[in-house]
Amino acid sequence: MVAGYLNLAADAAHNFTDGLMLGAAFSTSWEVGCSSTLAVLFHELPHEVGDVAILMQAGFSKWQAIRAQLGTAVAALLGTIVALSAGKGEA
């Protein structure tokens, strides 16, 4: 079970940095933000499916693993907010 929680912590950190990148991309332009969002989406889909499998191997039920993975997505939102807030004075 410890491996599952370590995976969640690492995934939250990863999602936070994805959010930082998305916030910076949208600060640059709408087009850059949208293309970066698509790139992150295509990168994250298989990654998150793999993380659910890891969590299930660690003892989580399927729905516990899915809910936990959705919970780590909050870190991406926080990263985006941080990046957008930091970039407000620049433009």
Side-chain angles (χ1 to χ4, degrees):
M1 199 69 144
V2 172
Y5 289 112
L6 287 173
N7 180 269
L8 287 172
D11 195 40
H14 176 109
N15 288 344
F16 183 80
T17 59
D18 282 345
L20 289 174
M21 184 275 300
L22 290 173
F26 275 105
S27 291
T28 301
S29 74
W30 177 256
E31 293 81 12
V32 172
C34 287
S35 64
S36 297
T37 299
L38 281 175
V40 168
L41 178 69
F42 287 121
H43 161 78
E44 285 298 325
L45 282 175
H47 178 185
E48 298 301 330
V49 170
D51 284 343
V52 167
I54 289 169
L55 292 174
M56 289 173 64
Q57 278 289 330
F60 287 67
S61 73
K62 180 171 79 172
W63 292 111
Q64 286 174 326
I66 291 170
R67 278 193 299 273
Q69 280 303 110
L70 288 173
T72 65
V74 172
L77 293 173
L78 292 174
T80 302
I81 291 167
V82 167
L84 289 173
S85 296
K88 281 188 179 182
E90 309 262 333

